Amino acid sequence: MTQTATTRRPGKTTTPQLRKRRSLLRYWREYLAISPFFILFAAFGLFPLLFAVYLSMVSWDGLGDIEWVGPDQFVRLFSSGEFTHALGNTVIIFLTAQVPVILASLGAAALLSSPKLRARGLYQTMFFLPQVTSIVAVAIVFQSLFSNEYGIINAILEGVGLSSVPWMTTEWGVRLVVSIMIFWRSFGYFVVIFLAGISSIPPTLYEAARLDGAGSWRILRSITIPMILPTVAFVAVTGTISGFQIFTEPQVLTNGLGGPNDSVVTMMFLQVRYMGATLQTVPTDLGFATAIGWGIFVVLILLAVLNARVIAKRRKELS
Amino acid sequence: MRLPRMLAAGAAIATVGALAGCGGDDQASDGQVELTLWARSNSVPDDVQQLLDEQFPDYEITFQDIPDIEDKLRAALRSKSGLPDVVVMGGSLPSFFSVSDQFLDLADEAAASDAVDWTLDLGLTPDGKQLTLPTDIGPWGFFYRADALEALGYPTEPEAVAAEIDSWEAYRELAEATAATGQYVCDHAGQVYQARLAQQGYAYFEQQDGEAVNAVDSPISHDAFVESAALAQDGLCTNTEPYTPEWNAAMTQEDIVAFVGPAWEDGLLQSAGEQQSGAWRVTTVPGGPAATGGSYVAALAASDHPDEARELAAFIGGAEFQKAGYLDKGLFPASTGVHADPEVATPQDFYGGQDTLGVLAQTAAEAPLVYQGPNSGTVAAQFFVALNDLASSDEDPAEVYESLLAATAEL
Amino acid sequence: MKSRPRMWVQHLVLVPAAALFAFPFYWLVVMSTSRTSDIFGSPPRLIPGSQLVANIGRLFDSVDFHQAFLNSVFVSVVATAVTVTIAALSGFVFAMFRFPARDWLFAILLVTMTLPTGVMLVPMFQIYVDLGWINTYLPLIVPGAASAFGIFWMRQAAREAVSYEVIEAARVDGAGFLRVFWHVGVPALRPAIAGFTVFQFMWNWNEYLWPLLVLNDSALYTLPVALQQLNGTHGTSDYPVVMAATLLATIPLIVLFLFFRRMVMSSVTSGAVKG
């Protein structure tokens, strides 16, 4: 068990092929350690993936006969306008909710990790509460807050002499409420991830910086962020993926209706619709739903490449 | 460690056909008939297990309480495995017609049933197979507060109200009179629209030679749509959808003093309108009786004991079971025997001593059959969403109607 | 002394923010202690009522809450323990060891996070049927045991918190593969492991669709499925009972968070490892 990863000493008399096999065998522990993911993916992911390729070329209501339609579903994806509309909605919600919440939670994590802050644990817990509050309860609370006629917010606005806002019946009103709901729900989640990253920064670095008279902003920029860059990259990638797959909040907030003119129907929301949601405004078509899934996949891959480039560039700038 | 499991998995996949054929655990060793029943607990009487054990002492019946049962049933039908013997389900029946071969024909049981005729016809596939029997149904009622109508100078007794507000024009007049006092007799334009279609027996499709033919463009839908939208746009509705917090708020704050809705909204009303107990009444919907289906019982062809499964389905779709369901949970019975049962037709305190079963049973008996095509639910949802959006916009309902026609022409 | 007024400013921001974040949870408490007519009154009552016991009583009458709670605890604990262990080990190895095709394998892992999983429902169900896993907890534990998200997180955390020098030093001391992971990796990854454990437990705890589809026997139901039994075909009419149920179901998650919170913030241990 003393073999190390860095010392490689291939046998002198072996053929190149054998040498290669042997050197791979030498890493059996590493491969074994990462094998569960790949084994489970092969067992439970590959066949469904192939099935998803097949499904995107058929039309199927999920129960009756399967009809082969070839590339029609992808033609429909680009020509019907539904998908592009949903893509636009997703981008808007991503920019107005996901991006701000990530930036704000980074700042909050820096603030909450300050050892001098009193009642730190209480704040952390309160910010985390939305994460554990069931979405059913959250939907009821938000509908009760932002209802046009029966909402508490409009009651307050009218109480102080302002006019009420048609939150749920205008495109931008309902988008704003969805964004607030996403911000509110995921803030504590990102705070926890950033806090976990900040915890690994040696406190001595901060002490040294403070002795040098550095302010909070400077400490955040020149110590915290550079030291947790891997965590920032992680949040950027997973936050983008989850941000582009958002659908729970708009779905529950609008009772599955999608808001005026489908203004909060995201790509995932659209997919769920075609998979046979409770309120069926479209005929169930698992084929088209799958094509939407592939559409989301392509968008995400493009974004991931972009993300990786930006991160790499920033890392270069910072170092 | 993982390899044997993988091998086992492979073996399992290879032999699945054989396994499915055996039916495995359904056969008890002592030859006793075992039956599995799937149902939502809210769709059956409280002590369902006891009821079944008493009725069928020779069978071993397992009741499984399944929420969101239609999703689960679809998954099981798709893989043709793990199916129960008998299932109680709700939702859109035509979506199951394409797999009618996986269900048993309940024609004999339907012939012996005392359920209202149209409720049986809902479970009839285009090729004449009796897929389901009704367990509970949704006759629509005009729910109103007697005190609110009295204040407006209207009559308060159900029959007099039905005679006075006998048309949608009369309903609109009432809506205008109540809105002037800051209260509403319309919760959502979509509800009025739905009632108007149902009372004409219309659901966007017509059956011709066993095929569902698109009939979305119809004066029934056009007039109902435009006039319902006008109710909302003229500020005569609270624009709150039932089963939402807003609806509860509108009810609790006494903004809604009347509404049209199916019988199952009784539970919702009694919960939200708790403090208005005794003031509510129910009568016939303006413009004539309207009704929609509720829940249904079906037996699966995969059952090892088809005869016994049919027997169980017949009992669940029968009078005794429905009577218990009505008394326990207010599930409105399809059985005419229960409608006539003096033990059931009793004065209700919440409705000021009115026998609500009587008026709704009459509606159920007189309502027309609404033929549902496979896409009826989809078109209905689109019109409902459009009405919801129209309530707060100044778009012309007639134009929106035209655009909906275009969107649904291909269905 | 300079920091005194600054701290005041921080609290000035944090107190209202925390109140906003906690309000919906507070309202959940209010709703679960009220009657339907109290919840939706105008103005809404903002102080807890006295109906909690009655609401919980109605809940226990209609749902086998205790059994479902125990089932959820079992499934969530097992599934979370397996997932976190695999993620920590795999992530640590991805970050700290060099081996052929490592970066390619990792890229594949990342790509799987973006695959259209929503539509995989149909084939996955078929696989579980063929494996004979219907009406067992295996579909809730095994397929998700290796989380790409978790492995990615642990890899990033290891890159931050562990230096190659420490690993080399440990190896020179004769520490084996698993010993290096246990004595260097796990302590350094503690904050990330704690955070991931909380999330993973929460996700397992709230999982609804798969338990609904694969479990037939009500005695095996997890909490989300059992609580869904409170609803009828058309939705909820008894809000207070649903809210009381939600509140009870949330308590374990809060306890877990409070328990692991300190670990998320344990900068002392990892600071020492960073060497």
Side-chain angles (χ1 to χ4, degrees):
Chain A
M1 292 295 274
T2 54
Q3 193 172 27
T4 68
T6 42
T7 53
R8 280 170 218 168
R9 214 178 303 144
K12 278 169 196 161
T13 53
T14 48
T15 63
Q17 259 183 336
L18 205 59
R19 194 184 303 157
K20 194 175 177 191
R21 192 181 306 157
R22 234 198 233 170
S23 63
L24 281 179
L25 274 178
R26 161 173 300 172
Y27 299 106
W28 68 271
R29 291 181 194 84
E30 283 86 343
Y31 288 118
L32 186 67
I34 61 161
S35 65
F37 176 82
F38 296 95
I39 291 171
L40 287 173
F41 184 72
F44 298 100
L46 269 188
F47 170 62
L49 199 62
L50 292 176
F51 191 77
V53 173
Y54 162 75
L55 258 189
S56 64
M57 286 177 280
V58 303
S59 180
W60 186 32
D61 71 355
L63 218 47
D65 297 330
I66 299 179
E67 186 195 347
W68 178 264
V69 296
D72 283 8
Q73 301 287 21
F74 291 100
V75 174
R76 187 172 158 199
L77 196 63
F78 290 106
S79 63
S80 79
E82 277 175 295
F83 182 72
T84 37
H85 182 62
L87 174 62
N89 290 336
T90 311
V91 170
I92 290 169
I93 291 175
F94 180 76
L95 292 177
T96 56
Q98 196 79 345
V99 173
V101 75
I102 290 175
L103 296 177
S105 57
L106 178 58
L111 192 62
L112 286 174
S113 61
S114 155
K116 280 185 191 156
L117 184 72
R118 295 185 57 161
R120 208 154 48 114
L122 187 67
Y123 286 128
Q124 287 167 1
T125 311
M126 286 173 96
F127 287 132
F128 193 71
L129 276 182
Q131 269 290 302
V132 296
T133 312
S134 118
I135 187 75
V136 185
V138 172
I140 291 171
V141 171
F142 270 75
Q143 288 180 350
S144 303
L145 285 175
F146 288 99
S147 162
N148 285 1
E149 298 294 328
Y150 302 97
I152 298 168
I153 306 246
N154 275 349
I156 294 172
L157 287 178
E158 283 170 10
V160 298
L162 296 168
S163 61
S164 65
V165 178
W167 301 105
M168 301 302 290
T169 54
T170 53
E171 289 189 30
W172 287 98
V174 71
R175 278 184 186 136
L176 182 65
V177 177
V178 164
S179 293
I180 292 171
M181 189 164 163
I182 292 167
F183 188 104
W184 177 85
R185 272 195 89 208
S186 52
F187 185 75
Y189 163 83
F190 288 119
V191 165
V192 167
I193 298 181
F194 283 128
L195 277 178
I198 291 173
S199 301
S200 55
I201 302 173
T204 46
L205 275 180
Y206 286 109
E207 283 152 25
R210 281 207 191 83
L211 282 178
D212 289 349
S216 311
W217 176 244
R218 227 190 115 64
I219 289 176
L220 180 69
R221 273 211 48 153
S222 45
I223 298 180
T224 310
I225 293 179
M227 291 301 288
I228 61 161
L229 260 190
T231 298
V232 172
F234 169 72
V235 170
V237 172
T238 56
T240 307
I241 293 173
S242 63
F244 273 76
Q245 293 179 338
I246 277 172
F247 78 99
T248 316
E249 286 88 353
Q251 198 192 27
V252 299
L253 190 77
T254 62
N255 298 318
L257 299 185
N261 296 323
D262 282 351
S263 51
V264 291
V265 174
T266 58
M267 294 188 287
M268 215 58 172
F269 193 154
L270 191 66
Q271 187 190 36
V272 170
R273 258 190 190 177
Y274 277 99
M275 285 170 64
T278 334
L279 188 87
Q280 281 212 280
T281 49
V282 293
T284 305
D285 186 349
L286 295 184
F288 190 52
T290 313
I292 294 169
W294 287 113
I296 300 172
F297 172 71
V298 170
V299 170
L300 281 174
I301 290 295
L302 291 176
L303 277 167
V305 172
L306 202 76
N307 230 329
R309 287 201 171 171
V310 171
I311 295 275
K313 208 176 149 198
R314 273 204 65 77
R315 189 178 296 163
K316 233 179 227 170
E317 282 170 10
L318 282 166
S319 62
Chain B
M1 194 187 83
R2 294 194 180 273
L3 197 62
R5 188 174 285 167
M6 292 291 291
L7 287 176
I13 291 169
T15 55
V16 67
L19 282 174
C22 298
D25 47 342
D26 255 17
Q27 208 84 37
S29 51
D30 58 354
Q32 197 184 25
V33 174
E34 293 184 5
L35 295 171
T36 304
L37 166 68
W38 279 7
R40 272 188 184 83
S41 51
N42 284 334
S43 304
V44 289
D46 287 341
D47 45 3
V48 55
Q49 187 73 58
Q50 196 189 335
L51 211 61
L52 296 176
D53 290 345
E54 278 168 19
Q55 178 69 22
F56 302 105
D58 298 338
Y59 307 162
E60 198 171 308
I61 298 171
T62 311
F63 161 60
Q64 295 182 330
D65 180 353
I66 316 267
D68 288 323
I69 202 163
E70 297 78 20
D71 293 342
K72 189 162 167 128
L73 182 65
R74 270 194 197 92
L77 286 169
R78 227 165 6 223
S79 68
K80 298 187 171 64
S81 64
L83 285 160
D85 297 279
V86 175
V87 61
V88 178
M89 59 186 175
S92 155
L93 282 182
S95 66
F96 291 98
F97 286 175
S98 60
V99 285
S100 59
D101 58 323
Q102 293 200 49
F103 292 90
L104 292 170
D105 192 350
L106 299 174
D108 295 342
E109 288 72 17
S113 164
D114 69 343
V116 181
D117 286 344
W118 64 264
T119 64
L120 288 165
D121 291 347
L122 286 176
L124 210 55
T125 66
D127 47 3
K129 187 170 180 176
Q130 187 76 40
L131 220 61
T132 62
L133 305 174
T135 59
D136 71 86
I137 57 173
W140 283 54
F142 178 55
F143 296 81
Y144 67 92
R145 274 177 60 171
D147 53 344
L149 289 202
E150 190 172 20
L152 290 165
Y154 273 85
T156 57
E157 285 310 303
E159 275 156 40
V161 170
E164 178 91 14
I165 309 162
D166 59 344
S167 68
W168 292 107
E169 289 76 34
Y171 173 75
R172 190 180 157 106
E173 279 170 31
L174 171 69
E176 284 168 356
T178 31
T181 67
Q183 290 183 315
Y184 302 89
V185 297
C186 163
D187 56 350
H188 195 285
Q191 297 286 104
V192 171
Y193 173 71
Q194 238 180 301
R196 293 184 62 157
L197 298 196
Q199 63 192 186
Q200 304 287 331
Y202 172 83
Y204 309 103
F205 290 85
E206 280 167 9
Q207 196 170 18
Q208 286 174 12
D209 306 324
E211 296 281 314
V213 178
N214 187 312
V216 177
D217 189 10
S218 144
I220 299 173
S221 169
H222 176 271
D223 295 352
F225 185 82
V226 171
E227 288 172 24
S228 303
L231 281 175
Q233 289 190 327
D234 297 344
L236 305 179
C237 300
T238 55
N239 303 322
T240 50
E241 201 189 328
Y243 298 97
T244 63
E246 283 187 306
W247 194 91
N248 277 273
M251 185 57 68
T252 307
Q253 296 172 27
E254 308 197 24
D255 279 6
I256 300 177
V257 293
F259 63 95
V260 291
W264 59 71
E265 282 186 36
D266 162 71
L268 187 63
L269 173 62
Q270 295 210 24
S271 166
E274 199 182 18
Q275 282 154 357
Q276 305 151 34
S277 177
W280 284 88
R281 304 283 186 278
V282 60
T283 191
T284 319
V285 171
T292 41
S295 306
Y296 314 87
V297 60
L300 278 300
S303 171
D304 288 330
H305 312 286
D307 292 335
E308 290 82 355
R310 274 198 291 263
E311 202 184 335
L312 174 59
F315 176 68
I316 289 172
E320 186 187 343
F321 198 83
Q322 292 188 23
K323 180 178 166 181
Y326 180 73
L327 291 176
D328 288 349
K329 302 235 169 79
L331 301 165
F332 199 88
S335 154
T336 50
V338 183
H339 295 170
D341 192 331
E343 278 180 51
V344 185
T346 52
Q348 305 283 310
D349 290 340
F350 185 85
Y351 295 93
Q354 186 193 358
D355 159 30
T356 56
L357 183 87
V359 58
L360 290 171
Q362 198 186 348
T363 291
E366 291 170 2
L369 164 69
V370 183
Y371 167 71
Q372 299 270 340
N375 285 324
S376 285
T378 303
V379 180
Q382 291 197 14
F383 276 83
F384 183 87
V385 171
L387 278 172
N388 194 62
D389 290 354
L390 269 173
S392 54
S393 84
D394 46 14
E395 281 181 88
D396 180 11
E399 279 173 26
V400 174
Y401 175 82
E402 291 299 326
S403 68
L404 284 167
L405 287 190
T408 53
E410 298 297 313
L411 292 173
Chain C
M1 291 305 103
K2 194 185 155 205
S3 69
R4 276 256 166 243
R6 295 267 307 281
M7 280 304 173
W8 267 106
V9 175
Q10 287 177 352
H11 285 290
L12 219 60
V13 177
L14 283 171
V15 168
L20 277 179
F21 275 86
F23 175 73
F25 185 82
Y26 173 74
W27 223 49
L28 171 67
V29 175
V30 172
M31 286 194 281
S32 60
T33 56
S34 306
R35 309 167 76 94
T36 306
S37 47
D38 299 330
I39 297 174
F40 298 106
S42 175
R45 205 193 53 209
L46 289 176
I47 47 165
S50 56
Q51 298 294 312
L52 183 64
V53 175
N55 291 336
I56 291 178
R58 282 217 301 287
L59 167 67
F60 286 178
D61 282 346
S62 44
V63 169
D64 191 351
F65 191 89
H66 299 94
Q67 182 67 50
F69 190 91
L70 292 177
N71 293 341
S72 268
V73 168
F74 173 77
V75 175
S76 303
V77 166
V78 173
T80 306
V82 175
T83 309
V84 172
T85 307
I86 291 176
L89 180 61
S90 302
F92 181 70
V93 168
F94 265 124
M96 290 294 127
F97 293 83
R98 291 174 205 283
F99 49 92
R102 180 187 71 169
D103 294 345
W104 276 106
L105 289 170
F106 188 71
I108 291 172
L109 180 138
L110 282 188
V111 168
T112 63
M113 291 175 73
T114 63
L115 288 172
T117 46
V119 292
M120 289 184 179
L121 206 81
V122 178
M124 294 279 263
F125 186 81
Q126 194 60 50
I127 291 177
Y128 301 149
V129 169
D130 294 347
L131 288 171
W133 284 9
I134 298 301
N135 216 16
T136 73
Y137 290 140
L138 290 171
L140 312 181
I141 296 170
V142 178
S147 145
F149 173 89
I151 295 171
F152 185 21
W153 188 358
M154 295 304 139
R155 172 186 182 261
Q156 302 301 89
R159 290 179 138 199
E160 254 165 47
V162 190
S163 63
Y164 291 104
E165 293 79 24
V166 176
I167 294 187
E168 278 311 307
R171 295 197 136 168
V172 169
D173 290 349
F177 186 84
L178 282 178
R179 278 179 64 104
V180 170
F181 171 66
W182 188 249
H183 289 291
V184 180
V186 172
L189 288 176
R190 248 173 62 142
I193 288 176
F196 183 49
T197 305
V198 171
F199 291 156
Q200 191 62 41
F201 188 88
M202 188 175 79
W203 293 329
N204 285 320
W205 187 260
N206 291 333
E207 174 68 34
Y208 172 66
L209 188 60
W210 279 116
L212 170 75
L213 291 182
V214 301
L215 301 176
N216 293 336
D217 191 347
S218 331
L220 291 177
Y221 281 176
T222 56
L223 266 183
V225 183
L227 297 190
Q228 189 67 17
Q229 292 174 317
L230 294 169
N231 290 347
T233 321
H234 305 281
T236 311
S237 53
D238 200 346
Y239 284 97
V241 170
V242 173
M243 293 302 116
T246 306
L247 185 67
L248 290 185
T250 307
I251 289 171
L253 299 178
I254 295 174
V255 171
L256 190 80
F257 176 76
L258 292 176
F259 183 73
F260 278 98
R261 190 186 60 79
R262 286 176 189 284
M263 269 200 232
V264 175
M265 291 305 301
S266 65
S267 46
V268 188
T269 332
S270 42
V273 172
K274 184 85 193 181

